[in-house]
């Protein structure tokens, strides 16, 4: 029991010491907008992270899109930039949407 408790305390302390949170509101100031390689945005830098976006075949995108879309009703490909929750973490306006070949550097 003591060993498990000590392991949990060490894990929590180490996660807390190295945690950083990227924020994306500065990229999408308006509601229901999105940015990715299709509109000239190939990377998003915040909190020491670099989130990449690239154009894919047939007018598609790969990697990450920064979004502020809030549609929680439409459940098909036309709503690809929305989050199911309708917002980012803690109710923020901007968040990332990841797709094929998403990488963080």
């Amino acid at each position: 029991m003591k060993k498990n408790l000590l392991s949990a305390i060490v894990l929590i302390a180490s996660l807390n010491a190295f945690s950083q949170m990227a924020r994306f509101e500065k990229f999408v100031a308006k509601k229901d907008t999105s940015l990715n390689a299709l509109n000239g945005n190939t990377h998003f830098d915040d909190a020491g992270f670099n989130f990449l976006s690239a154009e894919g075949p047939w007018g598609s995108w790969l990697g990450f899109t920064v979004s502020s879309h809030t549609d929680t009703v439409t459940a098909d490909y036309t709503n690809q930039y929305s989050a199911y929750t309708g917002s980012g973490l803690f109710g923020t306006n901007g968040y990332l949407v990841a797709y094929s070949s998403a990488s963080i550097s």
Side-chain angles (χ1 to χ4, degrees), residues 19-79:
S19 66
Q20 294 181 19
M21 186 167 76
R23 305 285 304 237
F24 302 101
E25 290 82 12
K26 65 183 177 185
F27 298 109
V28 284
K30 295 183 203 172
K31 185 178 176 182
D32 293 329
T33 59
S34 56
L35 302 173
N36 60 27
L38 296 179
N39 50 26
N41 297 279
T42 58
H43 68 280
F44 308 97
D45 297 318
D46 195 69
F49 299 104
N50 185 19
F51 301 91
L52 306 175
S53 180
E55 287 191 46
W58 307 290
S60 63
W61 59 277
L62 306 169
F64 292 100
T65 292
V66 176
S67 179
S68 64
H69 287 264
T70 58
D71 181 353
T72 60
V73 177
T74 307
D76 63 22
Y77 73 94
T78 62
N79 195 25

Side-chain angles (χ1 to χ4, degrees), residues 79-90:
N79 195 25
Q80 65 180 330
Y81 300 124
S82 286
Y84 183 74
T85 58
S87 69
L89 184 64
F90 304 122

